Amino acid sequence: QVQLVESGGGLVQPGGSLRLSCAASGSRFSINAMGWYRQAPGKQRALVATITSGGSTNYADSVKGRFTISRDNAKNTSYLQMNSLKPEDTAVYYCNAVISNHRLPYWGQGTQVTVSS
């Protein structure tokens, strides 16, 4: 019913920046919270950042001061601006959306972010 499509991943040098985008589409819906999560090889998927419909944000300690989550409600799109990237940020990044009156949250397909010299 709702599809999330991510873009913006790629290879970047340490200290560089990337901006990820996640666009939601489908039948009529209203998004409550949106978030970004990441999963490194051999590890569980972990929270990166979340944002509510009112703009309240939450960040993992490891990315505070470097990453910024935002959303454009008119476009049903969330963004993750990643600055001062470190090799330990390397992971598959997944966007997430909690939809009003839907039983389960939705997930994007994931986009690879690789931080390497």
Side-chain angles (χ1 to χ4, degrees):
Q1 187 173 358
V2 177
Q3 296 80 45
L4 305 180
V5 179
E6 302 169 353
S7 61
L11 175 64
V12 65
Q13 293 183 345
S17 298
L18 284 174
R19 189 169 90 144
L20 307 182
S21 299
C22 175
S25 63
S27 59
R28 189 172 68 89
F29 60 91
S30 179
I31 302 175
N32 290 331
M34 302 190 76
W36 287 92
Y37 297 73
R38 65 188 182 186
Q39 187 168 20
K43 295 191 174 184
Q44 295 278 50
R45 191 173 300 184
L47 170 75
V48 175
T50 60
I51 185 167
T52 68
S53 59
S56 179
T57 58
N58 178 51
Y59 296 93
D61 288 342
S62 59
V63 307
K64 285 181 180 176
R66 299 188 298 120
F67 291 11
T68 302
I69 188 171
S70 61
R71 63 190 288 174
D72 185 333
N73 291 331
K75 295 181 179 179
N76 290 321
T77 299
S78 69
Y79 305 92
L80 184 69
Q81 177 66 47
M82 304 184 294
N83 299 324
S84 301
L85 282 161
K86 304 174 180 180
E88 51 262 44
D89 295 319
T90 296
V92 177
Y93 283 70
Y94 298 89
C95 67
N96 164 275
V98 177
I99 309 299
S100 296
N101 303 123
H102 288 216
R103 183 169 61 90
L104 297 174
Y106 291 84
W107 293 90
Q109 79 286 355
T111 184
Q112 178 70 46
V113 172
T114 302
V115 185
S116 176
S117 299

